[in-house]
Amino acid sequence: MQQFTQFDGLVAPLDRANVDTDAIIPKQFLKSIKRSGFGPNLFDEWRYLDVGQPGRDNSQRPLNPDFVLNQARFRGAQILLTRDNFGCGSSREHAPWALEDYGFRAIVGSTFADIFFNNCFKNGLLPIKLPAAEIDALFALVTEQTGYRLRIDLAAQTVARPDGRTIGFDVDPFRKYCLLNGFDDIGLTLRHADKIGDFEARRRIEQPWLFS
Amino acid sequence: MQQTLYDRLWVNHVVHTEEDGTALLYIDRHLVHEVTSPQAFEGLKLSGRKVWRISSIVATADHNTPTRDWEQGIADPVSRLQVETLDANIHEVGALAYFPFRDARQGIVHVIGPEQGATLPGMTVVCGDSHTSTHGAFACLAHGIGTSEVEHVLATQCLLQKKSKCMLVRVAGQTGKGVSAKDIALAIIGKIGTAGGTGYAIEFGGSAIRALSMEGRMTLCNMAIEAGARAGMVAVDQTTIDYLQGRPFAPRGELWDRAVAYWRTLRSDDGARFDAVVDLDAGSLQPQVTWGTSPEMVATIAGAVPAPEDFADPVTSEGVARALQYMGLAPRTPIKQISIDKVFIGSCTNSRIEDLRAAAAIARGRQVADNVKLALVVPGSGLVKRQAESEGLDKIFKAAGFEWREPGCSMCLAMNDDRLEPGERCASTSNRNFEGRQGAGGRTHLVSPEMAAAAAIAGHFADVRDLI
Ligand code: SF4
């Protein structure tokens, strides 16, 4: 997994609550057996005027000029600013894969759906929860100022605004440690292989019906 | 100290805890389907790792599979490759049980687990699908997981988790006629919102829950994720035990007795502390219909669609305006005046035998309205389908003008050919009414099976209580 250090990125605002995983990546793209290549179909139904199909050349499709990511000023955005309950819906990891493949490295919102939140960390994408008042202020700033950027520092757990204001955020120490070091969860877990083995052996004796 | 059911299940599965409280939870049952597993099997192979415990795996193909013309196989080459990839992976790795495409026991992963007795009380159950919460109906700790976690469980038999808070949703009293578990679920979501359960595991309790069948409890736990909770659960009682007895993977003989004795302990202690408690009166519940693009946008059958100006918060108000526009509904439209184009009875929420019986009871001797272009009944599994056929339900549906299909996820997420066309409106027994969920531009209204049947007959939403 990619290591996450501090970075400075352009912010794109997606001013909606309850953005669900079907909106992030529609189901027809879930037929892929690969992990990559989902970026061009991120937010497919909002981004294009026609209906997308896997395997189509997306560069030939009509763009929806009203969709925020299609506006020239947000091209190359690495930080997505959003509202409550982002990523609700299915467990599809294709959602963080698509966001990451598109170029996003952090999602800043007020709340996130649990499974999506969890999936982000497995893919080097940082979901950042900020108080609703901070989110409101950021939406106003991003709308007013073209080229609005934020500096995100995971080690310090801060989001720094260009005007010098710094906002702290919480992150689980274990997740932070994995992300900062680019560690693979499985490798870390397997350090406890003996413990898992012992636990399993005990369980076989206590609840043998689970091991038929 | 008194424990909640969730505490009990949690403590029973912790292998190791990191300093910050992140726990390694041991996983008893791993359900696998074609959509979220290929990248996990590939990752495992690339890193040269092995599957930790093959006998924990139960697999099936469900999301992508067609619901008719099975003898012709899967026409869409992309879907076919995904299903074949699952075949190949399971062939290579092994499993406790595999119900491939066209197997007599194939079906929706959350229907077949319980049906086979592969979901047992006290288990941790995971699956790369958010509706894994369904299995909590058996007092399991059941989580939906992402593909990286699927790989993690394959390789380590564990999941990295932080303990959630615990919410008790207590539904007391007796539901009226025509009010089902689906209505309870939608009413709860309407009350607490789609993010109301975020960060919580929900235990459903109270006399109305105890009175539900296992099918009803599964419907309820299935929708826990739509309330934002990763897990939902119901304590074990005689209903649970009766359901499991004699199922293929349930224990037998002396082991059965030992298991049952243990299962009976799977409940919250009296006086256990919950982080939040929500109370609902079953007696006042009415049949529910969603009108918007989120399951919390719900009204009773006697109600009406709201207007954006009813909401003071600008984000909510704008969300309502956007939902009404997407749904093609004018503010204040009475629910009963909304006419429909299609009907879908199916999905892991409502495709079990009891659901089909409830819908058939309404369809019996009646006709699907002329304005309804398609009314689909998709059983949750091959076994449900056969059971229904042995009871003659298929004949009732077909005589009324419904189509009777092969099992699978079908129009719940429209990965196969069953879908809504842009602008079409559907009465659906599934669990999500998101934009485009049942097909790009499609409009979904979530209802119970009996309400879906009533809508099919009337051609618009109708109060099922007038038909019983
Ligand atoms: S029926 Fe729908 S919700 Fe259930 S597993 Fe299939 S796609 Fe997911």
Side-chain angles (χ1 to χ4, degrees):
Chain A
M1 191 175 72
Q2 200 191 353
Q3 252 175 293
F4 194 104
T5 43
Q6 52 173 343
F7 82 102
D8 175 273
L10 182 70
V11 184
L14 184 62
D15 198 354
R16 294 179 181 232
N18 298 315
V19 172
D20 60 75
T21 52
D22 283 82
I24 298 172
I25 183 89
K27 82 280 290 172
Q28 61 269 37
F29 304 106
L30 273 50
K31 295 177 183 178
S32 168
I33 56 170
K34 300 206 202 84
R35 239 176 216 272
S36 56
F38 296 101
N41 300 108
L42 174 71
F43 299 122
D44 198 274
E45 286 178 19
W46 293 340
R47 200 160 142 200
Y48 301 97
L49 292 170
D50 62 350
V51 176
Q53 285 306 330
R56 273 187 67 180
D57 179 1
N58 295 291
S59 65
Q60 303 302 316
R61 296 174 56 200
L63 291 174
N64 172 6
D66 295 334
F67 184 57
V68 65
L69 294 185
N70 289 334
Q71 295 171 21
R73 59 185 282 210
F74 299 118
R75 198 152 298 145
Q78 288 182 294
I79 299 171
L80 186 68
L81 178 66
T82 184
R83 300 256 181 207
D84 270 355
N85 203 24
F86 187 86
C88 60
S90 87
S91 64
R92 64 188 68 161
E93 202 158 313
H94 312 68
W97 292 339
L99 287 158
E100 200 253 5
D101 198 59
Y102 179 89
F104 286 115
R105 303 202 49 209
I107 317 286
V108 177
S110 39
T111 57
F112 293 88
D114 278 345
I115 303 179
F116 174 82
F117 189 74
N118 211 36
N119 283 342
C120 284
F121 285 96
K122 315 278 178 194
N123 294 283
L125 189 65
L126 179 64
I128 298 177
K129 275 188 241 181
L130 296 184
E134 298 287 359
I135 297 289
D136 283 342
L138 285 173
F139 267 107
L141 289 165
V142 173
T143 316
E144 277 159 25
Q145 301 176 22
T146 303
Y148 193 82
R149 301 173 78 85
L150 290 171
R151 178 163 197 83
I152 293 176
D153 186 337
L154 175 59
Q157 296 180 216
T158 53
V159 175
R161 294 192 341 197
D163 60 6
R165 181 176 166 75
T166 306
I167 316 160
F169 62 87
D170 283 339
V171 57
D172 279 349
F174 183 70
R175 281 175 163 150
K176 176 177 169 180
Y177 165 77
C178 292
L179 210 50
L180 279 176
N181 295 291
F183 282 151
D184 143 37
D185 279 359
I186 299 180
L188 287 177
T189 297
L190 286 173
R191 291 178 315 178
H192 302 295
D194 290 352
K195 271 191 164 177
I196 303 171
D198 291 349
F199 182 94
E200 193 167 57
R202 238 185 9 256
R203 210 163 169 69
R204 259 178 215 282
I205 295 167
E206 287 166 7
Q207 296 184 41
W209 59 85
L210 296 176
F211 294 84
S212 59
Chain B
M1 194 171 117
Q2 283 93 351
Q3 285 185 310
T4 62
L5 171 59
Y6 175 62
D7 294 331
R8 199 156 264 147
L9 293 171
W10 177 269
V11 170
N12 257 312
H13 290 90
V14 174
V15 173
H16 169 82
T17 311
E18 299 287 343
E19 271 169 32
D20 73 342
T22 304
L24 262 189
L25 274 194
Y26 185 81
I27 301 304
D28 297 308
R29 178 65 67 229
H30 189 181
L31 303 166
V32 172
H33 66 86
E34 78 276 22
V35 176
T36 53
S37 67
Q39 297 88 350
F41 281 112
E42 192 194 11
L44 201 69
K45 208 178 298 175
L46 289 176
S47 56
R49 289 175 176 135
K50 289 214 162 21
V51 172
W52 185 286
R53 185 159 70 84
I54 293 160
S55 67
S56 68
I57 299 174
V58 172
T60 194
D62 56 1
H63 282 62
N64 252 318
T65 54
T67 57
R68 59 176 163 192
D69 306 327
W70 266 17
E71 59 298 337
Q72 288 166 29
I74 303 175
D76 170 18
V78 196
S79 298
R80 194 188 328 123
L81 176 62
Q82 201 169 50
V83 172
E84 286 170 358
T85 305
L86 178 67
D87 286 338
N89 284 329
I90 298 295
H91 184 75
E92 190 179 329
V93 163
L96 174 70
Y98 180 41
F99 309 116
F101 174 50
R102 294 195 287 212
D103 186 280
R105 295 160 297 172
Q106 182 227 3
I108 305 173
V109 67
H110 308 308
V111 174
I112 61 162
E115 178 176 83
Q116 292 292 327
T119 300
L120 295 172
M123 278 182 166
T124 39
V125 179
V126 296
C127 174
D129 185 281
S130 58
H131 292 95
T132 308
S133 58
T134 310
H135 306 266
F138 293 84
C140 291
L141 183 54
H143 289 125
I145 58 178
T147 298
S148 296
E149 290 174 314
V150 170
E151 186 181 338
H152 191 275
V153 174
L154 286 172
T156 70
Q157 209 58 40
C158 289
L159 188 63
L160 282 164
Q161 275 279 295
K162 270 211 141 169
K163 196 171 176 201
S164 307
K165 289 180 286 183
C166 191
M167 179 187 287
L168 174 64
V169 175
R170 202 162 35 195
V171 191
Q174 207 181 341
T175 49
K177 245 182 155 184
V179 176
S180 72
K182 182 65 161 286
D183 300 303
I184 300 178
L186 288 171
I188 292 168
I189 297 165
K191 181 166 172 146
I192 69 173
T194 46
T198 304
Y200 289 93
I202 298 182
E203 178 175 347
F204 298 97
S207 51
I209 307 300
R210 298 259 70 89
L212 288 175
S213 64
M214 287 316 292
E215 284 84 351
R217 295 176 191 183
M218 284 189 255
T219 301
L220 197 59
C221 289
N222 175 277
M223 297 287 286
I225 182 73
E226 306 310 327
R230 207 170 181 186
M233 63 199 80
V234 176
V236 169
D237 60 12
Q238 194 58 39
T239 306
T240 325
I241 290 162
D242 291 344
Y243 178 96
L244 287 168
Q245 186 145 33
R247 304 253 162 202
F249 292 98
R252 284 162 207 285
E254 184 257 343
L255 267 189
W256 168 261
D257 297 335
R258 271 177 71 188
V260 168
Y262 170 66
W263 294 344
R264 288 197 190 278
T265 67
L266 296 172
R267 52 186 286 274
S268 289
D269 294 327
D270 297 333
R273 204 190 67 79
F274 291 87
D275 300 289
V277 178
V278 174
D279 277 300
L280 218 72
D281 167 29
S284 64
L285 289 181
Q286 301 204 32
Q288 310 274 314
V289 181
T290 66
W291 50 264
T293 53
S294 161
E296 71 189 21
M297 294 173 165
V298 65
T300 65
I301 183 63
V305 169
E309 58 269 25
D310 298 349
F311 302 86
D313 171 45
V315 177
T316 312
S317 174
E318 175 150 345
V320 168
R322 200 182 275 131
L324 291 182
Q325 195 199 4
Y326 180 85
M327 295 297 287
L329 291 171
R332 316 229 186 274
T333 307
I335 297 289
K336 285 185 192 163
Q337 283 178 18
I338 303 174
S339 62
I340 54 166
D341 305 301
K342 286 184 176 167
V343 175
F344 173 60
I345 297 176
S347 91
C348 57
T349 314
N350 281 128
S351 64
R352 298 178 184 83
I353 188 67
E354 187 179 271
D355 302 313
L356 303 188
R357 285 179 192 142
I362 302 303
R364 185 192 303 269
R366 297 193 170 103
Q367 281 300 315
V368 171
D370 288 342
N371 62 305
V372 175
K373 292 182 230 168
L374 176 70
L376 269 188
V377 186
V378 183
S381 72
L383 296 185
V384 169
K385 182 169 187 253
R386 263 191 296 172
Q387 173 68 29
E389 287 169 354
S390 76
E391 297 176 21
L393 304 185
D394 58 324
K395 296 204 181 62
I396 296 174
F397 283 123
K398 284 191 264 188
F402 287 84
E403 290 196 18
W404 179 249
R405 296 287 186 88
E406 303 291 348
C409 294
S410 179
M411 210 157 77
C412 172
L413 93 165
M415 271 184 88
N416 66 6
D417 288 338
D418 309 333
R419 65 169 72 113
L420 300 181
E421 298 303 324
E424 280 183 341
R425 190 180 298 286
C426 181
S428 177
T429 67
S430 56
N431 41 51
R432 287 196 175 131
N433 51 353
F434 299 155
E435 287 185 22
R437 171 74 178 184
Q438 295 191 288
R443 295 163 172 164
T444 302
H445 295 265
L446 304 176
V447 288
S448 71
E450 40 274 68
M451 282 289 286
I457 305 301
H460 53 83
F461 291 105
D463 195 331
V464 65
R465 293 171 297 186
D466 298 337
L467 299 176
I468 36 184

